Amino acid sequence: MADGSDGKSTPLGIYDRPRKSSITGIEIIAIALSALWLLSAAIFFITLPTEAAPDGTGGLRFLMTMLAIFMPVAMIWVAATAARSSRVMREESQRLQAAIDGIRQAYVAQSQGRDMAAEPSVNRKLDEIAAAQRKTETTLATLSTKRDTAPVRKSAPAEPTAVGSNEQPSLALGTQAAELEPPLEREDFIRALNFPEDADDKTGFDALRLALKDRKAAQLIQAAQDVLTLLSQDGIYMDDLRPDAARPEIWRSFAAGERGRAIAALGGIRDRSSLALSAARMKQDTIFRDAAHHFLRRFDKSFSEFEEIASDAEIATLSGTRTARAFMLLGRISGTFD
């Protein structure tokens, strides 16, 4: 405790230097013991009858007398110095522990404040993306309905064709619309896996619309959207993750069925809080666990097909998408890369 100017005592701050007092209780005890010993020694030697010392022993007797008087005093002060040093070290240890606790509390408070400040903007961004996606799906559904309900022009009657009893005419009525669509470009596939940045990302929505027309790509995108939504409920967003980039040949090894140490670099997510939260939910939430395993299977199958026709640059670009980051996170906690 330190005395303030107004006479009230105020506690020392954890970052203040300890103030050295001139005399402490240890020094007072040492002074009292030293004085008591010196007084006792003086009384003893004064009352001691003087005797003639043998020749040549006077100096030795004087030395022994000085040692007998001052050696205990020296030992008292050595003990007092050691006790004071021990007390100072104990106070410094307590001060250091208090400083560490203060830093930890400040870090936790800062992290919570940052998450609370970032959550509204992220939620607003997700709402905008979801609204734009619903708008796109509604537009696609409207266009599909208009195309199906358009009036059919009557064509000229065709010549009747003789059909054998064992043959059936091939009709185009059973053809799926997806089969008539051109194959999905790799660039659009990669952009769709990253999802639109915001409601104004026209290029991203165009790529997403094209990918949703492709049956295999649509299955992967739907699975990725499910796990991204579930992860966001725990405050885990792919934009916040900064995984270690793995070389394209490692991704190709994974697509070829390699497992273990050779592809361990794919689990490059280092965010401990995201890993801990995801692992805990994987154990406790069956819905999350099923969605995660379904997503991992869809990504594994889709990437194996993509790797056969993709260049190293395209694989590197795909590995930086939000879908790939979710795969790296969930793959690490589920042991996919073990």
Side-chain angles (χ1 to χ4, degrees):
M1 305 295 285
D3 293 336
S5 59
D6 55 355
K8 297 181 180 180
S9 60
T10 57
L12 284 173
I14 61 175
Y15 301 108
D16 295 337
R17 287 185 176 274
R19 300 175 182 177
K20 296 182 179 179
S21 57
S22 57
I23 298 178
T24 62
I26 296 175
E27 282 78 6
I28 294 175
I29 295 174
I31 292 172
L33 290 176
S34 300
L36 181 61
W37 174 257
L38 292 175
L39 180 62
S40 301
I43 295 173
F44 174 78
F45 285 106
I46 290 174
T47 59
L48 183 68
T50 58
E51 296 179 358
D55 295 340
T57 61
L60 180 60
R61 184 175 181 179
F62 176 77
L63 179 61
M64 295 299 293
T65 302
M66 292 297 102
L67 288 176
I69 294 174
F70 293 106
M71 181 62 74
V73 176
M75 296 301 297
I76 289 172
W77 282 99
V78 168
T81 303
R84 181 169 183 175
S85 299
S86 176
R87 190 192 66 177
V88 170
M89 292 298 295
R90 185 166 58 253
E91 291 177 353
E92 289 294 335
S93 177
Q94 294 174 355
R95 191 181 299 273
L96 180 60
Q97 184 63 41
I100 293 174
D101 293 339
I103 293 174
R104 184 184 295 112
Q105 293 176 1
Y107 174 76
V108 172
Q110 182 180 3
S111 300
Q112 292 177 351
R114 181 178 57 192
D115 294 341
M116 292 178 63
E119 184 175 358
S121 61
V122 174
N123 289 337
R124 184 170 60 254
K125 182 177 180 180
L126 290 175
D127 292 339
E128 292 176 355
I129 294 175
Q133 184 176 359
R134 288 195 298 269
K135 182 178 179 181
T136 302
E137 293 175 352
T138 303
T139 303
L140 291 175
T142 304
L143 293 175
S144 177
T145 303
K146 290 182 178 179
R147 183 179 59 185
D148 294 340
T149 58
V152 180
R153 296 182 179 179
K154 294 183 178 180
S155 57
E159 294 291 335
T161 305
V163 181
S165 59
N166 295 330
E167 296 180 359
Q168 294 181 354
S170 59
L171 301 178
L173 296 178
T175 304
Q176 299 292 332
E179 298 177 1
L180 300 178
E181 295 292 338
L184 181 64
E185 297 292 336
R186 295 192 295 274
E187 181 179 359
D188 293 329
F189 177 70
I190 295 173
R191 186 177 290 112
L193 292 184
N194 196 45
F195 292 96
E197 295 292 340
D198 49 40
D200 299 327
D201 187 5
K202 184 178 182 301
T203 305
F205 278 107
D206 290 342
L208 184 62
R209 177 174 54 83
L210 293 174
L212 290 175
K213 293 182 180 180
D214 185 270
R215 184 175 60 85
K216 295 181 179 180
Q219 291 176 350
L220 175 58
I221 291 173
Q222 183 61 50
Q225 186 178 14
D226 292 340
V227 296
L228 290 178
T229 301
L230 293 173
L231 288 171
S232 66
Q233 295 175 358
D234 289 332
I236 303 174
Y237 302 99
M238 299 303 102
D239 291 343
D240 297 335
L241 302 180
R242 294 294 181 268
D244 297 338
R247 298 190 305 274
E249 53 266 26
I250 299 178
W251 284 97
R252 292 188 186 276
S253 298
F254 170 76
E258 188 74 27
R259 296 295 183 270
R261 186 182 299 274
I263 62 164
L266 297 185
I269 301 296
R270 305 298 180 189
D271 191 299
R272 295 183 179 181
S273 61
S274 299
L275 291 171
L277 290 172
S278 302
R281 190 167 184 183
M282 181 75 81
K283 294 179 181 179
Q284 300 172 1
D285 191 342
T286 56
I287 297 177
F288 179 83
R289 182 167 59 250
D290 294 341
H293 286 307
H294 174 67
F295 165 70
L296 292 174
R297 289 192 299 269
R298 295 306 317 172
F299 187 93
D300 187 356
K301 184 176 181 181
S302 298
F303 182 77
S304 299
E305 298 175 355
F306 174 80
E307 178 268 337
E308 296 177 355
I309 58 175
S311 63
D312 288 349
E314 290 172 336
I315 291 178
T317 304
L318 184 142
S319 66
T321 61
R322 295 184 177 94
T323 300
R325 293 182 185 182
F327 171 74
M328 296 169 72
L329 173 64
L330 298 177
R332 179 170 179 178
I333 64 175
S334 62
T336 303
F337 309 130
D338 297 339

